[in-house]
Amino acid sequence: MGKVKKEILISKPKIDDRVQRLADEISRDYEGKELVLIGILKGAFVFMADLIRCLRIPCEVDFVRLASYGTGTVSSGNIMITKDIETPIRGRDVLIVEDIVDTGLTLYFLVDKLKEREPESLKVCVLLDKKERRKVPFEAEYVGFDIPDRFVVGYGLDFNEMYRFLPDVCVIEEN
Ligand code: 5GP
Ligand code: MG
């Protein structure tokens, strides 16, 4: 990419408001329970950090790192776990936290893998959802924002490891 144009798609105040409401919903749904939150590295770390501080239920936190073969901005579908969680999840209530669902391949794979470990329940919370891009049927139980088919960065999301630090979710385009 040469010169890049940045445009705010979702501002930090809007994200804050939505994250609080997601956390309220999750706290209600899991009242009296103890959650294991599993963040997908690296993109979800900012969202995860904000989300847990808005929850009103006790939770444990762990992270998984996935890799898909092939580079660029499109998932290839050949996915593997490069860093597994360290928390046993059998019989636990588990919530996967992810920055964005696009083709659905990543979460389809991870949900399938984690189900093998027989959690009591397994749900998914994503900040962003590009529904029109699905290659496999996948629906998250908690969705922050539906967004159009544009490449976004910021609030943890990167382009070649850049822009994760931006507080807003932004669209980038080559000039
Ligand atoms: P999926 O397997 O659903 O196609 O892809 C999910 C992963 O693709 C996300 O975790 C993220 O790493 C990456 N991804 C998909 N769309 C975007 C986007 O617009 N911006 C960024 N930074 N990553 C994206
Ligand atoms: Mg990701």
Side-chain angles (χ1 to χ4, degrees):
M1 251 192 208
K3 222 171 175 220
V4 165
K5 196 175 124 218
K6 262 191 346 257
E7 185 192 306
I8 293 179
L9 182 68
I10 310 167
S11 69
K12 184 62 167 48
K14 274 201 178 144
I15 297 170
D16 287 345
D17 182 66
R18 188 71 189 106
V19 169
Q20 180 64 63
R21 284 186 294 122
L22 279 173
D24 289 344
E25 206 184 322
I26 293 165
S27 302
R28 266 198 310 276
D29 292 352
Y30 290 90
E31 206 185 331
K33 295 180 177 171
E34 211 176 278
L35 254 186
V36 180
L37 297 184
I38 300 179
I40 305 182
L41 293 171
K42 301 176 189 172
F45 84 104
V46 175
F47 176 38
M48 176 88 135
D50 283 348
L51 186 70
I52 57 168
R53 286 176 291 174
C54 295
L55 290 175
R56 285 174 282 105
I57 48 165
C59 67
E60 283 179 36
V61 169
D62 206 339
F63 290 94
V64 67
R65 182 132 167 80
L66 304 170
S68 67
Y69 300 101
T71 48
T73 57
V74 182
S75 281
S76 63
N78 300 310
I79 300 158
M80 58 183 230
I81 296 177
T82 55
K83 184 233 166 281
D84 206 341
I85 49 168
E86 286 143 42
T87 314
I89 57 166
R90 175 184 291 259
R92 310 282 311 267
D93 290 300
V94 176
L95 183 65
I96 298 171
V97 178
E98 173 62 317
D99 50 4
I100 186 166
V101 52
D102 184 27
T103 63
L105 289 163
T106 304
L107 282 163
Y108 190 87
F109 165 86
L110 186 62
V111 165
D112 199 55
K113 277 276 167 229
L114 295 183
K115 270 190 180 156
E116 290 171 9
R117 301 180 195 178
E118 301 179 333
E120 171 70 22
S121 70
L122 181 60
K123 290 187 185 177
V124 177
C125 175
V126 297
L127 181 71
L128 307 169
D129 192 342
K130 289 189 199 170
K131 288 206 167 72
E132 61 190 276
R133 296 251 314 156
R134 284 301 191 284
K135 285 187 187 158
V136 288
F138 178 84
E139 250 188 87
E141 283 79 6
Y142 304 97
V143 177
F145 302 92
D146 285 316
I147 63 165
D149 182 13
R150 310 275 300 276
F151 192 79
V152 292
V153 297
Y155 197 69
L157 289 108
D158 76 309
F159 173 71
N160 285 346
E161 295 303 325
M162 293 185 301
Y163 306 115
R164 291 194 200 276
F165 65 94
L166 295 174
D168 315 287
V169 171
C170 300
V171 169
I172 52 169
E173 256 164 31
E174 221 166 339
N175 270 354

